[in-house]
Each structure stands twice: as structure tokens, then as C-alpha cells.
Amino acid sequence: MPKYVVAIDQGTTSTRCILFDHGGNVVAVDQKEHEQIYPQPGWVEHDALEIWERTQRVLRGAFDKAGCDVSDVAAIGITNQRETTLVWEKETGRPIYNAIVWQDTRTDGICNELAKDGGQDRLRAKTGLPLATYFSGPKIKWILDHVEGARQRAERGELLFGNMDTWLIWNLTGAHVTDMTNASRTLLMNLQTLDWDAELLDLLSIPRVMLPEIKSSSEIYGTAKGSLGGVPVAGDLGDQHAALFGQACYAPGEAKNTYGTGCFMLMNTGETPIPSKSGLLTTLGYKIGNQKAVYALEGSIAISGALVQWLRDNLGLIEKSSDVETLAQTVTDNGGVYFVPAFSGLFAPYWRSDARGAIVGMTRYVNKGHIARAALEATAFQTREVLDAMETDSGVTLTALKVDGGMVFNELLMQFQADLLDVPVIRPKVAETTALGAAYAAGLAVGFWKDFDELRANWGRDREWTPRMDAGQRAALYSNWKKAVTRTFDWVE
């Protein structure tokens, strides 16, 4: 009798394999980082073959740690960094170019050209998304335009496109599929039909034959080959949608915020997509088997945990990421410093690809503790901006925020977040909710879990932070942040 569901969490900086039991508890974890490739300013790439190799290693590692074999596993679920774009040869499985990462800004010219007719929001009615470098479609176009012979090969059916979920499922099973959450991040899927849109494909000059088949987030896509032979691959959600699902946000108005490389708040809006007038994204939340699709509003922040990595790797301010909290605690406030990490422009609610990072308010008084504190506070300020936009669009006032991701173990950040939002911030018992959501989707597809009630019962509260800041201080800090953000605009012509 199978005891576990396996989740492969293919993230921006690393790939993890986590085994979950029926109670949604973590049984074993293995994780490997992969190289971040920066060919020039604003460009970010990954080696997809390295990611597949790391995936195989973490699968073996997690199985070894759990002391289990294939017969113990009911299903495999996939969750992935969204929008990261890969094109590979159908015959050989060889990528024709590195994966272009979601943070990459090289498609700015393509997006600006498309925006000349109808503006940045010309595709929102169909896709729920603004024209931005963030999404996969312009990245596919860039590869087809810049790799010699690629467009002709794609038209002949020799090349395949996928986000990283599709790449992993193809390598595991041979099936060329994606799910609706990932497809909704391409600028190529129609939110109403839930299929690739001919007009959008034509606009971006992308041959339909290279695109994967769009499936639900929870169904059997195929069975794994090789060492996992016979295990169904049965769940697929983009990472933020998986976290929404893993946090048991199954009712309209329920929301979560994930603090990872970037920061992403999603709110379940039910079976009807809500257009955003406040700079948010309208996206698929999830679709379970034959049930109706559930939509979400999303606020996407490009840089949060990545800013801590930058302090570590580029400035040498800290030795390891967890040291940032200790350094930030050496001071009692930010010393007047605000750090706007617009390294890849600004995402929600601004969508300004012309913005670049800035540290403002510097005086001789400021020390490295203030810089560390300002870096942490940047994530909380950006989250406040997204929450304000979400409440405006949805008409729902949040009474609490469920949080997950690596940064939720930073007590200073979580307390400041509660102070700034003026609502409780709640960390669940299992903080690995992105992987858990993928496991849940796969487990539902094969009957390992019966229904949402069973999944809700697994959710438990680990820690709650309540607001302690007075209204005047909150307003003053937020006002200064908003002023700092304006200083980053119009940096790139």
C-alpha cells in the first residue's frame, strides 16, 4: 500500500524533492542548487540539462533518506518556477538555448513594440496579464528570432516549448503537457476558453505545434520511466498556485503570500476571473480534474529573498542568508534608509520595466545593520502595496494573511509585516506549502486523498504574529517607502 506522495519543487535557485505522508507531513527532503547565469545586465538564464540532472539526484536523495522504494509512492506532483522558458529538440531532448528565467528583461523591446498598438494592457481582456518581460510568450519569440533556424524548425514540428514543469514531465514520462496555471502565465492562453488563443499566437509569431497540450492541475499525465517506473505523474501547478492550494485557500477571499526568490500574493476569487484595475494579474488558481477552474488575483514582486542573496553573494555583507536577521537586529530601525530592489524593474502594482534598484535616505549615521534591515523591510513594504491593490480589486478586506516560503522563519520580517499590514500574519505547521500543493494535486488524482475536507484537516497553525505598531508610525514609514519607489522610475530609456 503506497504511503507517500512525491513532490518535485523546481525553483529559481534550486530543485527539491519532498516526500509527504497522508497527514501532509514532510517525511524526507533533498535539495540541490543550480547555477544562475547572467550573460549581460538584465539577462538571467538556467542550464535546463543541469536542472534535469539535479532533479534526478534529489529524487534519489529523498528516497534514500526516507528509506523507501517505488512501491511506497502513490504519485508524483510537479511544481515549478513559472514563466521560465525553454525550447528543445523533440528528437534529441537537447535544448537549443538556455532556459530564459522569469526575471530576465531582454524582451523589453518586444513588449514595447507590441504595446504601441493598444498599450501595455492590450492583452489583459484575454489573458489577465499586462505586456511585460515577465511572461513566457515574448521569451519564446526571442528564442525563435535569435537562434539560427529555430523558427523554421519550430514550424516543421521539430522543436518543443515548455516552462520547467513541461520540461520535467517530458523527461519523466515522454508526455508534452502543461497545466492551466502554467499556461495562464504565457500571454498565449485565453482565460475564458482555457486553451491557446490563435490570435495571440499569431501576434507573437509562435507556431502552435510547438506548444504543450493544456491539462488540468490534477490528473494522470503519464507514468514515470526509469528508476520511478510505473509511478503516475499526476499533479502540476506553477509554484504560487501550488502554494495557494497547499495553504488550503479553497474558498473565495482566502489568500496567501509566499516569500521566496520573489514574493507572490494570491487570492482565490472563485469560478469567475476578476479583471484588475490596480496593477494585479488575473490568473488561474487551479483546476482539479473535471471540476470547474478556480481563478485568482495575484500580486507579483520580482525580488524579495533574492535581495538577501545579493547582500550575501554580491556585497559579502553576510556569510549565509539566515545571518541577515541577526545583522538587522543590531539596530532598532532602518535609520531612514529605504531599499527598493527593482533589479528587474518593478512588477505589481507598477509594471515598470524602466525602473532599477535604489537605496535612498543614506547619511553618515547609516551602518550595515540599517542596510540589512532596509532589505528585509523592502519585502514587507512591497507586500503592503500588493495587499492594498488586492483589497481594491476584490472588495475583500483581509483579516489575516497566511504566509509560507523560506523567509517566514525570519521573525523580525514577519513581525514587521504584521505591523505594516495591521493584520495577523500566520505561518502554517507545514511551511513547505508549494511542494505540498503539488503533492495534494497528485494525491487527489489517484485517490490518495479523497477531497478538500481531508486536505483542510491537515492544515495547522504553527506561529502567529500580531500587529504592535501605532497607526502614525505605520503611515509615516509607508509614505517614505512610496516616495522612495518613485526615485527608481525612468532609469532605463
Side-chain angles (χ1 to χ4, degrees):
M1 188 74 177
K3 299 182 287 187
Y4 310 124
V5 173
V6 170
I8 299 170
D9 182 356
Q10 203 299 290
T12 307
T13 58
S14 68
T15 304
R16 294 183 298 169
C17 177
I18 305 182
L19 271 63
F20 292 97
D21 65 16
H22 195 268
N25 302 302
V26 174
V27 175
V29 184
D30 202 41
Q31 179 171 357
K32 295 277 184 291
E33 290 194 356
H34 54 263
E35 185 185 1
Q36 306 298 305
I37 303 165
Y38 305 105
Q40 55 181 278
W43 292 29
V44 192
E45 298 176 0
H46 291 157
D47 179 344
L49 292 174
E50 180 192 21
I51 285 175
W52 171 234
E53 185 271 332
R54 295 284 192 272
T55 301
Q56 295 172 85
R57 283 174 61 185
V58 297
L59 278 163
R60 286 194 298 270
F63 273 63
D64 288 346
K65 289 176 182 177
C68 73
D69 60 29
V70 171
S71 65
D72 295 316
V73 176
I76 300 166
I78 308 283
T79 183
N80 60 294
Q81 50 165 327
R82 305 167 303 170
E83 300 94 14
T84 294
T85 299
L86 186 67
V87 176
W88 67 94
E89 294 175 342
K90 185 177 183 178
E91 189 68 32
T92 67
R94 216 171 28 235
I96 66 166
Y97 191 83
N98 279 338
I100 301 179
V101 179
W102 57 274
Q103 299 159 313
D104 189 286
T105 60
R106 78 184 68 188
T107 57
D108 199 26
I110 294 171
C111 295
N112 290 340
E113 190 64 33
L114 291 169
K116 284 179 180 176
D117 181 11
Q120 189 180 31
D121 288 335
R122 68 177 288 192
L123 305 183
R124 262 192 191 270
K126 278 192 173 185
T127 67
L129 312 174
L131 276 167
T133 59
Y134 185 19
F135 305 111
S136 308
K139 294 177 170 63
I140 303 171
K141 177 174 169 54
W142 189 94
I143 292 172
L144 296 183
D145 287 346
H146 288 83
V147 176
E148 188 176 351
R151 182 167 298 285
Q152 293 76 17
R153 296 185 68 196
E155 287 168 353
R156 292 197 300 266
E158 297 172 12
L159 301 181
L160 303 177
F161 152 74
N163 292 338
M164 299 315 290
D165 65 313
T166 300
W167 171 242
L168 293 186
I169 294 171
W170 189 82
N171 277 290
L172 284 165
T173 70
H176 187 221
V177 299
T178 190
D179 90 303
M180 290 172 187
T181 67
N182 277 289
S184 75
R185 315 298 295 192
T186 59
L187 279 172
L188 303 174
M189 191 191 88
N190 187 309
L191 279 181
Q192 300 293 341
T193 66
L194 304 178
D195 198 1
W196 305 120
D197 186 275
E199 185 184 355
L200 298 174
L201 294 177
D202 186 56
L203 184 68
L204 284 158
S205 304
I206 294 171
R208 184 175 181 132
V209 68
M210 72 185 299
L211 302 181
E213 184 181 356
I214 301 174
K215 301 274 196 175
S216 80
S217 310
S218 176
E219 62 179 273
I220 296 173
Y221 312 117
T223 53
K225 302 176 291 188
S227 61
L228 293 170
V231 179
V233 179
D236 179 16
L237 294 134
D239 50 10
Q240 305 314 319
H241 317 262
L244 185 77
F245 201 67
Q247 283 275 35
C249 294
Y250 306 140
E254 292 185 324
K256 67 86 200 176
N257 199 29
T258 298
Y259 298 77
T261 302
C263 199
F264 303 88
M265 187 185 294
L266 269 72
M267 176 187 283
N268 182 326
T269 61
E271 294 171 3
T272 305
I274 293 179
S276 175
K277 295 180 172 60
S278 308
L280 301 180
L281 309 178
T282 304
T283 191
L284 257 290
Y286 52 84
K287 185 179 186 302
I288 304 304
N290 294 323
Q291 297 177 27
K292 287 187 175 179
V294 171
Y295 295 86
L297 278 172
E298 175 177 331
S300 313
I301 297 164
I303 302 289
S304 55
L307 182 54
V308 176
Q309 291 174 324
W310 184 80
L311 295 180
R312 180 193 70 190
D313 299 340
N314 294 54
L315 296 191
L317 213 58
I318 51 177
E319 273 192 39
K320 55 185 187 296
S321 293
S322 57
D323 292 341
V324 72
E325 183 174 12
T326 305
L327 180 56
Q329 284 172 330
T330 62
V331 295
T332 56
D333 57 36
N334 63 17
V337 173
Y338 294 81
F339 196 153
V340 187
F343 295 163
S344 302
L346 289 168
F347 285 9
Y350 299 100
W351 298 105
R352 296 288 296 255
S353 60
D354 62 348
R356 286 297 178 268
I359 304 175
V360 301
M362 298 281 281
T363 63
R364 285 287 297 272
Y365 167 72
V366 169
N367 62 39
K368 59 186 180 181
H370 296 112
I371 301 292
R373 194 173 186 110
L376 290 179
E377 289 183 355
T379 290
F381 282 124
Q382 291 179 102
T383 297
R384 164 72 187 273
E385 291 188 296
V386 165
L387 180 62
D388 287 354
M390 201 162 276
E391 290 184 343
T392 299
D393 277 342
S394 68
V396 175
T397 300
L398 278 192
T399 55
L401 183 65
K402 293 179 176 179
V403 298
D404 54 72
M407 295 181 82
V408 300
F409 297 98
N410 188 307
E411 304 267 337
L412 186 149
L413 171 59
M414 291 296 102
Q415 182 58 55
F416 187 74
Q417 187 70 87
D419 289 341
L420 202 60
L421 299 181
D422 199 26
V423 298
V425 168
I426 302 168
R427 182 175 72 202
K429 183 180 61 174
V430 178
E432 300 287 0
T433 53
T434 299
L436 183 58
Y440 279 167
L444 284 172
V446 299
F448 188 79
W449 288 288
K450 284 185 308 188
D451 52 29
F452 284 2
D453 288 341
E454 211 171 7
L455 305 184
R456 278 194 189 95
N458 283 347
W459 192 91
R461 183 182 312 241
D462 176 52
R463 176 75 200 275
E464 180 173 329
W465 291 266
T466 54
R468 299 196 297 229
M469 186 180 287
D470 70 69
Q473 185 184 3
R474 181 183 304 116
L477 285 167
Y478 192 45
S479 175
N480 285 339
W481 165 263
K482 298 290 267 188
K483 189 192 301 183
V485 170
T486 65
R487 304 301 192 263
T488 71
F489 296 164
D490 299 314
W491 197 257
V492 179
E493 293 294 335

